[in-house]
Amino acid sequence: MRSTLLATVSILVPYHAFAAPSAPIDHATHSPQADTRHVAQARKSALARTRPETISVFGHGSTRQMTSVTRSMMEQSVPGTSPMKVLNQLPGIVYQSADPFGAYEYSSSLYMRGFSQNQIGFTLDDIPLGDQQFNNYNGLSITRAITTDNVGGADVSQGAGAVDVASNSNLGGAIQFHSLDPSHERGGTVEQTFGSNQTFRTFARINSGDLNRSGTRFYASYARTDMNLWKGGGYDYSDQVNAKIVQPLPHDSSLKAFFDWSSTQQFDYQDMTQNYLNTIGPKLANYYPNYTAAYQAAQGIYPAQYLKSNDPYDAGYYAGTANRVDYFGGITLDENLTSHLNWKTTVYGHGDSGYSTWTTPYMPSPNGAPLSQRVQDPGIQRGGFVTAVTYGIARHKINAGVWYEYGRFTEGRSFAEAPLLGQGTLGNPTDGYPSNVFATPWQEIFHSNTFTFHLQDTFQVMKNLKINAGFKSMIVSAGNTVPTQNVAANGGLIAQGNLTASDAFLPQVSAAWRFLPHHELFFDVSKNMRTYPEDGFSTNVSATPWTETQNAFQSTKNNLRPEKDWVYELGYRYNTPVLSGLVSLYRVNFSNRLQLITSGHGINAQTAISNVGGVTTNGAEASLTVRPVNGLSIYNSFSYAHSTYDQNVLTSSGLEPTRGKLVPNYPTFMYKGSISYTWHRFKANLDGNYISSRQLTYTNDAHVPGYFLANFGMHYNFGDYKILKGINASFNVYNLFNKTYVSTTNELGNTFTAGYNYFLMGAPRQFFGTISTNF
């Protein structure tokens, strides 16, 4: 959660990448693993020559705009920081969270070139992570999938994801995370973090080292995070175990297995409105653990400050929590069948269980208490495989593969009785599922099948010109049953039925041309599709057709079309040891954009799915890194995105004037800058981000202001002491100037016009210190 993004950021291309033309493929020795080793060695040597290590855009060999983030870059953040927050320094990306660690899932919000995180592809070691939305139905967040200390790096495609990415939601790019491999040397790592709000985080990892001549090795790790919320009562607590084993095989092949178990309990920050911000203030919080205050508020007896607001009844509750347990893992066989032919297969599984609570005054208890505890209990069981073959012949590298996944998503809503005042309290909602349930309005079961096939060819036309062309075919069928529902309580029958999203030909063409030493042009054109998201009735989370009543579902079912888009990008890269630059222009033509439309306040809101038609985005990005002296790096980037709706939207209330209006939640302008310096064993960095105002409504009649946020960090290595290999100390400051700002918007859906527009506040200034060592 509380973390500061203090990654030193530079846009680099390895100097040798442009110093000479690339050599043609040697078919006597060529294999995909040889390519992987070459790239890894190139990156390692480039980073060894350039300090401090930075976020790097590697142009050579990539026909799209690809960004690689390494483990060393992530280590400049406070341990436990969400890897997605590290990406916030990249042009065109904005990551928001109510906590400085970026781990509070309800507030987790990433936008990349105007696409929200549920329209981007995410994988870990080729295993699909779903769309990263809160209450995920087909995956899980990266922070629960792997301990952040075990993330080896990430590859980011900011324009469009490659056709072989295992995702059915990547309309606009993909983020592929990779886990660390076990070390060849026996030893371990111990790390302890302290900080604001009684933060206490412990991490330990044990490496077996090579167990035999073949190089069999493994690691096991444990992480425990315990921290209080920065406002109000409650905490964020998690336990997480990771394990990975690597078995090298002949011909540079390998068999790898990864396992993750996580248990998370998170208290919620209270949703804000503009009225609450102006009348009660940015530190508005829930009443927990003060049950008396929550009970009296449900009776209409409020704190004095709350009476100044337009809706004191909705301003605070006893508590809201999310509690999850996940089992996640996979086995990957990477086999070089010949020097020309590689076969890679990953088989995976994921199980998720848990519950969320919210103490609501909108449903009284049968015993006469004016409130009750609403319980939501999502669960996931999914499994599948990703398999592909790569064959090198002449100047071609041909790749073809299949991804299949079966998913079962369950969700229900219940209400548990609250005690009368003076006869007990609700206690800690994370202590276990409530036993005194008195009503279950609904329970749903979703089943889905995903199948994709891809075929692509990378053609080395000349030594300095490479073209990639391919396509993906995708079909996703999903449907639900509703074994339990209370028609009167729900206001009608719950949506029930099947939907299929399919397209046999989703093409992609891209190319990279190195026309002079240090200079490269690239372009990319792709067509993409996103399947229909699944979610429970009236959950206010995603634009899912199943959030409606049966009548609304039937009336819109035949007219619904899956979201699709065409993405175009043209860019230029330049690199020397002193100066690196990037300029990129892009356009997105988005059709059948589905939006979750809400009306009324967020508690009893009416939700509906609407096809708002087309969206057009025109954008530009530019970045410049200067390294004037050894150890000093100065980075600046600018982003512009103009994303507007193509037509007005007809609703039951009439025609809404959305044509030409900006898409909500994404800023038009962004600036990212950092300066970092390394001197012997000391490192320091200062970074700052500016994002312009963001719209809250589809008609742009309400917005939140822009802001500038700065962070600072420093690190010192005290050297070795006896068996300890490097004793390290770091100190980080998040929100250096203590800026009051709005972080996440749209957590409860956007509205057409101003009214109940919800958002979450960002954390104030926070301090963190870490001591770590290897042995």
Side-chain angles (χ1 to χ4, degrees):
M1 240 197 215
R2 297 180 241 329
S3 140
T4 171
L5 172 57
L6 293 169
T8 306
V9 180
S10 269
I11 302 302
L12 300 178
V13 184
Y15 175 68
H16 69 276
F18 296 111
S22 58
I25 297 173
D26 182 351
H27 300 293
T29 60
H30 172 69
S31 72
Q33 277 62 41
D35 280 350
T36 302
R37 291 195 305 274
H38 174 74
V39 171
Q41 291 168 359
R43 292 182 180 183
K44 183 176 180 180
S45 62
L47 294 172
R49 290 194 302 270
T50 307
R51 289 293 185 266
E53 187 171 11
T54 53
I55 291 179
S56 305
V57 175
F58 291 95
H60 182 62
S62 174
T63 55
R64 291 180 301 278
Q65 180 53 40
M66 295 293 295
T67 305
S68 293
V69 181
T70 70
R71 177 67 218 157
S72 296
M73 304 165 202
M74 293 184 178
E75 287 174 346
Q76 296 178 16
S77 310
V78 176
T81 301
S82 169
M84 290 209 295
K85 188 162 187 177
V86 177
L87 305 179
N88 194 51
Q89 284 286 8
L90 298 178
I93 294 180
V94 56
Y95 182 79
Q96 300 287 348
S97 179
D99 70 296
F101 273 65
Y104 173 43
E105 289 186 35
Y106 177 67
S107 68
S108 174
S109 173
L110 183 141
Y111 285 84
M112 186 161 67
R113 294 188 175 180
F115 292 100
S116 62
Q117 61 193 35
N118 58 16
Q119 297 165 332
I120 300 168
F122 296 88
T123 65
L124 171 62
D125 293 344
D126 297 333
I127 304 174
L129 295 178
D131 61 11
Q132 296 292 291
Q133 71 175 28
F134 178 70
N135 204 29
N136 204 322
Y137 64 93
N138 65 348
L140 76 167
S141 71
I142 184 60
T143 54
R144 282 192 283 141
I146 185 172
T147 304
T148 56
D149 308 77
N150 294 328
V151 176
D155 295 324
V156 183
S157 176
Q158 289 162 268
V163 296
D164 60 345
V165 175
S167 170
N168 55 29
S169 59
N170 58 318
L171 287 167
I175 300 175
Q176 297 171 273
F177 296 100
H178 311 287
S179 64
L180 284 173
D181 277 350
S183 171
H184 289 280
E185 297 182 2
R186 183 180 304 169
T189 300
V190 178
E191 184 179 77
Q192 184 64 58
T193 299
F194 308 87
S196 298
N197 307 308
Q198 298 182 349
T199 295
F200 190 88
R201 183 181 189 274
T202 303
F203 172 78
R205 179 175 57 227
I206 298 296
N207 276 291
S208 70
D210 288 345
L211 298 174
N212 49 40
R213 294 181 62 183
S214 68
T216 306
R217 59 195 188 276
F218 71 88
Y219 67 68
S221 71
Y222 170 73
R224 178 180 183 231
T225 303
D226 191 2
M227 63 191 77
N228 291 336
L229 303 188
W230 62 265
K231 64 174 180 176
Y235 55 80
D236 178 6
Y237 180 88
S238 67
D239 292 289
Q240 193 164 22
V241 173
N242 285 168
K244 186 173 184 178
I245 185 169
V246 173
Q247 175 59 63
L249 300 174
H251 311 297
D252 291 326
S253 302
S254 66
L255 181 67
K256 300 181 180 181
F258 175 81
F259 171 77
D260 168 76
W261 171 84
S262 69
S263 176
T264 302
Q265 297 88 45
Q266 294 182 336
F267 276 78
D268 289 336
Y269 291 96
Q270 171 64 357
D271 297 295
M272 301 287 294
T273 66
Q274 290 178 314
N275 179 267
Y276 292 155
L277 181 60
N278 294 332
T279 57
I280 303 176
K283 292 189 177 181
L284 170 65
N286 289 322
Y287 296 112
Y288 177 85
N290 190 341
Y291 183 67
T292 299
Y295 196 99
Q296 291 177 340
Q299 295 176 317
I301 306 171
Y302 311 108
Q305 191 69 19
Y306 286 37
L307 293 172
K308 300 178 181 180
S309 72
N310 63 351
D311 191 354
Y313 197 64
D314 190 41
Y317 309 96
Y318 178 66
T321 67
N323 311 273
R324 298 286 187 272
V325 175
D326 288 276
Y327 297 86
F328 172 82
I331 301 175
T332 298
L333 174 64
D334 195 346
E335 179 72 30
N336 291 316
L337 301 175
T338 71
S339 60
H340 302 274
L341 181 63
N342 171 265
W343 175 40
K344 185 178 182 181
T345 297
T346 299
V347 180
Y348 64 90
H350 172 215
D352 167 86
S353 61
Y355 64 97
S356 298
T357 67
W358 171 58
T359 306
T360 169
Y362 296 92
M363 173 68 79
S365 294
N367 63 356
L371 42 74
S372 63
Q373 193 171 62
R374 194 185 80 177
V375 187
Q376 205 99 342
D377 54 354
I380 298 172
Q381 298 84 41
R382 66 187 180 105
F385 65 88
V386 182
T387 185
V389 293
T390 303
Y391 182 63
I393 181 172
R395 293 176 176 265
H396 298 267
K397 186 185 292 184
I398 302 170
N399 173 265
V402 169
W403 168 42
Y404 171 76
E405 179 178 290
Y406 167 76
R408 184 177 187 267
F409 171 64
T410 60
E411 189 165 29
R413 178 174 294 176
S414 301
F415 289 90
E417 190 174 69
L420 293 169
L421 193 62
Q423 299 183 9
T425 74
L426 284 171
N428 186 338
T430 69
D431 284 344
Y433 195 95
S435 59
N436 51 347
V437 172
F438 66 84
T440 302
W442 54 267
Q443 290 180 323
E444 293 186 77
I445 302 174
F446 288 84
H447 297 272
S448 63
N449 287 276
T450 298
F451 177 85
T452 69
F453 167 79
H454 76 268
L455 175 65
Q456 60 181 331
D457 177 26
T458 302
F459 178 30
Q460 192 74 48
V461 183
M462 297 182 293
K463 292 181 179 181
N464 61 345
L465 176 62
K466 180 183 291 186
I467 297 176
N468 174 270
F471 73 94
K472 176 168 68 175
S473 299
M474 181 167 66
I475 180 169
V476 182
S477 61
N480 71 326
T481 58
V482 187
T484 301
Q485 62 175 312
N486 185 320
V487 177
N490 300 329
L493 290 171
I494 291 175
Q496 188 174 177
N498 299 307
L499 289 171
T500 298
S502 64
D503 196 313
F505 188 66
L506 298 168
Q508 183 175 82
V509 178
S510 56
W513 177 39
R514 190 181 61 255
F515 59 95
L516 287 172
H518 315 298
H519 300 264
E520 186 177 57
L521 290 175
F522 64 93
F523 82 89
D524 181 36
V525 179
S526 65
K527 181 184 180 184
N528 311 286
M529 183 184 77
R530 179 193 181 209
T531 187
Y532 299 111
E534 304 162 36
D535 211 345
F537 174 70
S538 189
T539 50
N540 297 3
V541 174
S542 61
T544 170
W546 288 280
T547 192
E548 306 174 305
T549 63
Q550 185 67 35
N551 288 338
F553 180 81
Q554 288 300 129
S555 65
T556 60
K557 176 181 178 180
N558 294 331
N559 295 323
L560 280 179
R561 298 292 182 271
E563 295 178 327
K564 294 184 180 180
D565 67 12
W566 281 93
V567 178
Y568 310 87
E569 181 176 18
L570 175 66
Y572 163 76
R573 304 181 183 106
Y574 174 80
N575 184 76
T576 67
V578 176
L579 189 67
S580 299
L582 167 71
V583 177
S584 178
L585 305 174
Y586 62 90
R587 179 182 176 89
V588 179
N589 292 121
F590 200 142
S591 59
N592 301 315
R593 178 133 180 173
L594 301 180
Q595 296 280 184
L596 183 67
I597 309 299
T598 64
S599 58
H601 60 65
I603 308 309
N604 290 329
Q606 288 75 51
T607 61
I609 183 71
S610 178
N611 186 334
V612 297
V615 173
T616 300
T617 301
N618 294 298
E621 297 168 358
S623 64
L624 182 67
T625 301
V626 181
R627 296 171 288 274
V629 297
N630 186 34
L632 177 64
S633 177
I634 303 170
Y635 162 78
N636 291 276
S637 75
F638 301 87
S639 304
Y640 168 79
H642 189 256
S643 187
T644 58
Y645 293 103
D646 294 341
Q647 58 270 316
N648 298 323
V649 176
L650 182 63
T651 70
S652 58
S653 302
L655 192 66
E656 299 289 352
T658 55
R659 182 178 180 180
K661 302 297 184 180
L662 294 170
V663 172
N665 312 311
Y666 187 72
T668 302
F669 298 97
M670 284 190 288
Y671 163 77
K672 314 285 181 72
S674 72
I675 180 169
S676 59
Y677 184 66
T678 300
W679 184 72
H680 298 289
R681 294 179 177 179
F682 175 78
K683 299 178 183 179
N685 50 72
L686 175 68
D687 69 71
N689 296 337
Y690 169 77
I691 70 170
S692 64
S693 63
R694 290 163 288 163
Q695 302 298 325
L696 291 175
T697 67
Y698 296 111
T699 56
N700 295 176
D701 64 345
H703 69 277
V704 294
Y707 66 88
F708 178 83
L709 199 67
N711 309 294
F712 171 76
M714 59 183 180
H715 174 274
Y716 189 78
N717 184 340
F718 291 92
D720 301 341
Y721 179 75
K722 296 184 177 179
I723 65 170
L724 302 181
K725 301 176 182 178
I727 302 173
N728 299 278
S730 62
F731 176 72
N732 299 65
V733 183
Y734 169 84
N735 193 354
L736 183 63
F737 303 118
N738 202 26
K739 174 70 176 179
T740 299
Y741 71 100
V742 172
S743 61
T744 308
T745 59
N746 184 39
E747 71 271 17
L748 289 172
N750 294 106
T751 58
F752 277 109
T753 56
Y756 284 91
N757 310 112
Y758 290 93
F759 51 81
L760 294 166
M761 302 303 297
R765 182 165 49 224
Q766 308 275 280
F767 302 91
F768 302 97
T770 301
I771 300 292
S772 65
T773 188
N774 299 316
F775 58 88

Short mmCIF file of all heavy atoms in Angstrom, two decimals, residues 135-137 352-354 376-381 407-412 442-447 481 534-536:
data_model
loop_
_atom_site.label_atom_id
_atom_site.label_comp_id
_atom_site.label_asym_id
_atom_site.label_seq_id
_atom_site.Cartn_x
_atom_site.Cartn_y
_atom_site.Cartn_z
N ASN A 135 -12.55 -6.72 -7.36
CA ASN A 135 -13.52 -7.81 -7.45
C ASN A 135 -13.34 -8.57 -8.77
O ASN A 135 -14.30 -8.90 -9.46
CB ASN A 135 -14.95 -7.27 -7.35
CG ASN A 135 -15.93 -8.32 -6.86
OD1 ASN A 135 -15.55 -9.22 -6.11
ND2 ASN A 135 -17.17 -8.21 -7.28
N ASN A 136 -12.09 -8.87 -9.08
CA ASN A 136 -11.74 -9.51 -10.35
C ASN A 136 -12.49 -10.83 -10.52
O ASN A 136 -12.63 -11.61 -9.58
CB ASN A 136 -10.24 -9.77 -10.37
CG ASN A 136 -9.69 -9.87 -11.77
OD1 ASN A 136 -10.32 -10.43 -12.66
ND2 ASN A 136 -8.50 -9.33 -11.98
N TYR A 137 -12.94 -11.10 -11.74
CA TYR A 137 -13.68 -12.32 -12.03
C TYR A 137 -12.84 -13.34 -12.79
O TYR A 137 -13.21 -14.51 -12.88
CB TYR A 137 -14.94 -12.00 -12.83
CG TYR A 137 -14.64 -11.40 -14.20
CD1 TYR A 137 -14.53 -12.21 -15.32
CD2 TYR A 137 -14.46 -10.03 -14.35
CE1 TYR A 137 -14.24 -11.66 -16.57
CE2 TYR A 137 -14.17 -9.48 -15.58
CZ TYR A 137 -14.07 -10.30 -16.69
OH TYR A 137 -13.76 -9.76 -17.92
N ASP A 352 -9.57 -18.59 -5.75
CA ASP A 352 -9.74 -17.40 -4.92
C ASP A 352 -11.02 -17.54 -4.10
O ASP A 352 -12.05 -18.00 -4.62
CB ASP A 352 -9.83 -16.15 -5.79
CG ASP A 352 -10.31 -14.93 -5.01
OD1 ASP A 352 -9.49 -14.25 -4.41
OD2 ASP A 352 -11.55 -14.68 -5.01
N SER A 353 -10.94 -17.18 -2.83
CA SER A 353 -12.13 -17.16 -1.98
C SER A 353 -12.02 -15.97 -1.05
O SER A 353 -10.94 -15.44 -0.82
CB SER A 353 -12.26 -18.46 -1.18
OG SER A 353 -11.13 -18.63 -0.32
N GLY A 354 -13.14 -15.57 -0.49
CA GLY A 354 -13.11 -14.44 0.42
C GLY A 354 -14.45 -13.76 0.53
O GLY A 354 -15.48 -14.28 0.05
N GLN A 376 -20.47 -9.46 0.66
CA GLN A 376 -20.32 -9.92 -0.72
C GLN A 376 -19.26 -11.02 -0.71
O GLN A 376 -18.22 -10.88 -0.05
CB GLN A 376 -19.85 -8.77 -1.61
CG GLN A 376 -20.21 -8.93 -3.06
CD GLN A 376 -21.45 -8.13 -3.43
OE1 GLN A 376 -22.21 -7.73 -2.57
NE2 GLN A 376 -21.65 -7.90 -4.71
N ASP A 377 -19.50 -12.13 -1.42
CA ASP A 377 -18.57 -13.26 -1.32
C ASP A 377 -18.18 -13.80 -2.71
O ASP A 377 -18.63 -14.85 -3.13
CB ASP A 377 -19.18 -14.38 -0.48
CG ASP A 377 -20.55 -14.82 -0.96
OD1 ASP A 377 -21.08 -14.16 -1.88
OD2 ASP A 377 -21.08 -15.80 -0.44
N PRO A 378 -17.30 -13.08 -3.41
CA PRO A 378 -16.84 -13.56 -4.72
C PRO A 378 -15.87 -14.73 -4.59
O PRO A 378 -15.16 -14.87 -3.59
CB PRO A 378 -16.13 -12.32 -5.30
CG PRO A 378 -15.65 -11.59 -4.10
CD PRO A 378 -16.68 -11.79 -3.04
N GLY A 379 -15.86 -15.57 -5.60
CA GLY A 379 -14.92 -16.70 -5.64
C GLY A 379 -14.56 -17.03 -7.07
O GLY A 379 -15.35 -16.86 -8.00
N ILE A 380 -13.33 -17.50 -7.26
CA ILE A 380 -12.82 -17.82 -8.60
C ILE A 380 -12.20 -19.21 -8.59
O ILE A 380 -11.46 -19.55 -7.67
CB ILE A 380 -11.75 -16.80 -9.06
CG1 ILE A 380 -12.33 -15.41 -9.17
CG2 ILE A 380 -11.13 -17.21 -10.40
CD1 ILE A 380 -11.30 -14.32 -9.43
N GLN A 381 -12.51 -20.00 -9.58
CA GLN A 381 -11.79 -21.23 -9.88
C GLN A 381 -11.54 -21.22 -11.38
O GLN A 381 -12.49 -21.22 -12.17
CB GLN A 381 -12.59 -22.48 -9.48
CG GLN A 381 -12.91 -22.59 -8.00
CD GLN A 381 -14.13 -21.81 -7.60
OE1 GLN A 381 -15.14 -21.80 -8.31
NE2 GLN A 381 -14.08 -21.14 -6.46
N GLY A 407 -13.21 -20.84 -16.78
CA GLY A 407 -13.36 -20.07 -15.56
C GLY A 407 -14.73 -20.25 -14.92
O GLY A 407 -15.74 -20.38 -15.62
N ARG A 408 -14.73 -20.28 -13.61
CA ARG A 408 -15.98 -20.31 -12.83
C ARG A 408 -15.89 -19.19 -11.80
O ARG A 408 -14.98 -19.16 -10.97
CB ARG A 408 -16.16 -21.66 -12.13
CG ARG A 408 -17.49 -21.81 -11.38
CD ARG A 408 -17.59 -23.22 -10.79
NE ARG A 408 -18.91 -23.46 -10.22
CZ ARG A 408 -19.24 -23.26 -8.95
NH1 ARG A 408 -18.30 -22.80 -8.10
NH2 ARG A 408 -20.45 -23.53 -8.51
N PHE A 409 -16.83 -18.28 -11.89
CA PHE A 409 -16.87 -17.13 -11.00
C PHE A 409 -18.19 -17.14 -10.25
O PHE A 409 -19.27 -17.22 -10.87
CB PHE A 409 -16.72 -15.84 -11.81
CG PHE A 409 -16.96 -14.58 -11.01
CD1 PHE A 409 -16.12 -14.24 -9.96
CD2 PHE A 409 -18.02 -13.73 -11.32
CE1 PHE A 409 -16.34 -13.08 -9.23
CE2 PHE A 409 -18.24 -12.57 -10.60
CZ PHE A 409 -17.39 -12.24 -9.55
N THR A 410 -18.14 -17.10 -8.93
CA THR A 410 -19.34 -17.09 -8.12
C THR A 410 -19.39 -15.80 -7.30
O THR A 410 -18.36 -15.25 -6.91
CB THR A 410 -19.38 -18.30 -7.16
OG1 THR A 410 -18.24 -18.25 -6.30
CG2 THR A 410 -19.35 -19.60 -7.95
N GLU A 411 -20.59 -15.34 -7.04
CA GLU A 411 -20.75 -14.15 -6.22
C GLU A 411 -22.16 -14.12 -5.65
O GLU A 411 -23.12 -14.52 -6.29
CB GLU A 411 -20.49 -12.88 -7.03
CG GLU A 411 -20.43 -11.63 -6.18
CD GLU A 411 -19.82 -10.45 -6.91
OE1 GLU A 411 -19.94 -10.38 -8.15
OE2 GLU A 411 -19.23 -9.58 -6.24
N GLY A 412 -22.24 -13.67 -4.42
CA GLY A 412 -23.53 -13.53 -3.77
C GLY A 412 -23.54 -12.35 -2.83
O GLY A 412 -22.48 -11.79 -2.48
N TRP A 442 -29.34 -12.36 -3.43
CA TRP A 442 -29.00 -13.06 -4.67
C TRP A 442 -27.68 -13.80 -4.56
O TRP A 442 -26.82 -13.46 -3.76
CB TRP A 442 -28.95 -12.12 -5.86
CG TRP A 442 -28.06 -10.91 -5.72
CD1 TRP A 442 -28.41 -9.68 -5.29
CD2 TRP A 442 -26.66 -10.83 -6.02
NE1 TRP A 442 -27.33 -8.82 -5.29
CE2 TRP A 442 -26.24 -9.51 -5.74
CE3 TRP A 442 -25.72 -11.74 -6.51
CZ2 TRP A 442 -24.93 -9.07 -5.92
CZ3 TRP A 442 -24.40 -11.31 -6.69
CH2 TRP A 442 -24.02 -9.99 -6.39
N GLN A 443 -27.56 -14.84 -5.38
CA GLN A 443 -26.32 -15.58 -5.59
C GLN A 443 -26.25 -15.93 -7.06
O GLN A 443 -27.25 -16.34 -7.66
CB GLN A 443 -26.28 -16.86 -4.75
CG GLN A 443 -26.13 -16.61 -3.26
CD GLN A 443 -26.10 -17.90 -2.46
OE1 GLN A 443 -26.80 -18.85 -2.80
NE2 GLN A 443 -25.28 -17.94 -1.42
N GLU A 444 -25.07 -15.78 -7.66
CA GLU A 444 -24.88 -16.04 -9.08
C GLU A 444 -23.70 -16.96 -9.31
O GLU A 444 -22.74 -16.98 -8.52
CB GLU A 444 -24.65 -14.74 -9.85
CG GLU A 444 -25.84 -13.81 -9.90
CD GLU A 444 -25.57 -12.61 -10.80
OE1 GLU A 444 -25.64 -12.77 -12.03
OE2 GLU A 444 -25.29 -11.52 -10.27
N ILE A 445 -23.76 -17.71 -10.40
CA ILE A 445 -22.65 -18.56 -10.83
C ILE A 445 -22.39 -18.28 -12.31
O ILE A 445 -23.31 -18.42 -13.14
CB ILE A 445 -22.96 -20.05 -10.63
CG1 ILE A 445 -23.28 -20.34 -9.16
CG2 ILE A 445 -21.78 -20.90 -11.10
CD1 ILE A 445 -23.73 -21.77 -8.91
N PHE A 446 -21.16 -17.88 -12.64
CA PHE A 446 -20.76 -17.64 -14.02
C PHE A 446 -19.83 -18.76 -14.49
O PHE A 446 -18.98 -19.24 -13.73
CB PHE A 446 -20.02 -16.30 -14.15
CG PHE A 446 -20.88 -15.09 -14.01
CD1 PHE A 446 -21.20 -14.57 -12.77
CD2 PHE A 446 -21.40 -14.45 -15.14
CE1 PHE A 446 -21.98 -13.44 -12.62
CE2 PHE A 446 -22.18 -13.32 -15.01
CZ PHE A 446 -22.48 -12.81 -13.75
N HIS A 447 -19.98 -19.14 -15.75
CA HIS A 447 -19.06 -20.07 -16.40
C HIS A 447 -18.57 -19.42 -17.69
O HIS A 447 -19.35 -18.79 -18.41
CB HIS A 447 -19.74 -21.40 -16.73
CG HIS A 447 -20.20 -22.16 -15.52
ND1 HIS A 447 -19.40 -23.03 -14.83
CD2 HIS A 447 -21.40 -22.16 -14.87
CE1 HIS A 447 -20.06 -23.54 -13.82
NE2 HIS A 447 -21.28 -23.03 -13.81
N THR A 481 -26.02 -18.43 -14.11
CA THR A 481 -27.25 -18.92 -13.52
C THR A 481 -27.42 -18.21 -12.18
O THR A 481 -26.44 -17.76 -11.57
CB THR A 481 -27.22 -20.44 -13.30
OG1 THR A 481 -26.11 -20.77 -12.46
CG2 THR A 481 -27.09 -21.18 -14.63
N GLU A 534 -17.55 -9.95 -16.76
CA GLU A 534 -18.54 -10.61 -15.90
C GLU A 534 -18.50 -9.94 -14.52
O GLU A 534 -17.43 -9.61 -14.02
CB GLU A 534 -18.22 -12.10 -15.75
CG GLU A 534 -18.14 -12.85 -17.07
CD GLU A 534 -17.41 -14.18 -16.91
OE1 GLU A 534 -17.58 -14.82 -15.86
OE2 GLU A 534 -16.68 -14.55 -17.84
N ASP A 535 -19.67 -9.80 -13.93
CA ASP A 535 -19.74 -9.31 -12.57
C ASP A 535 -21.16 -9.49 -12.06
O ASP A 535 -22.10 -9.66 -12.85
CB ASP A 535 -19.33 -7.84 -12.48
CG ASP A 535 -18.69 -7.51 -11.14
OD1 ASP A 535 -18.83 -8.33 -10.20
OD2 ASP A 535 -18.05 -6.46 -11.02
N GLY A 536 -21.30 -9.45 -10.75
CA GLY A 536 -22.59 -9.70 -10.13
C GLY A 536 -23.57 -8.56 -10.30
O GLY A 536 -23.23 -7.45 -10.72
#
